[in-house]
Amino acid sequence: MYTLPSHRKRGLARKILQECMKECQKREVKRVWLHASQAGEPLYKSIGFQSKGSEMELFFHESEGKINK
């Protein structure tokens, strides 16, 4: 995901990411992983992603369908 500099600091990337995570939960996705830029890493960590080498990953609770932080 990339946000133009003129549109940053408005919460747009967070809103898009939250909607993506909701859709993943609806589709019963168990794990999401990605490559984050240095600028994007704090956003992903705040949602619950954890660094794993050059990637970040997030696991969903199987029983509750919630993000595992």
Side-chain angles (χ1 to χ4, degrees):
M1 173 176 353
Y2 178 80
T3 305
L4 292 171
S6 61
H7 289 82
R8 292 180 185 164
K9 303 296 181 190
R10 297 181 186 183
L12 299 173
R14 179 174 301 281
K15 288 177 185 176
I16 292 169
L17 182 58
Q18 289 171 331
E19 290 303 313
C20 288
M21 295 297 99
K22 286 180 189 177
E23 188 63 29
C24 286
Q25 290 174 319
K26 286 180 191 176
R27 295 174 183 255
E28 299 182 2
V29 171
K30 303 297 181 212
R31 182 178 87 151
V32 177
W33 66 98
L34 53 84
H35 292 271
S37 67
Q38 286 182 331
E41 194 169 321
L43 169 63
Y44 296 113
K45 282 186 175 181
S46 74
I47 298 293
F49 281 84
Q50 297 182 354
S51 295
K52 187 173 184 180
S54 65
E55 297 180 337
M56 297 187 78
E57 67 182 357
L58 178 133
F59 288 91
F60 292 97
H61 286 290
E62 291 183 26
S63 60
E64 300 173 17
K66 294 183 180 178
I67 295 174
N68 183 15
K69 286 191 176 181

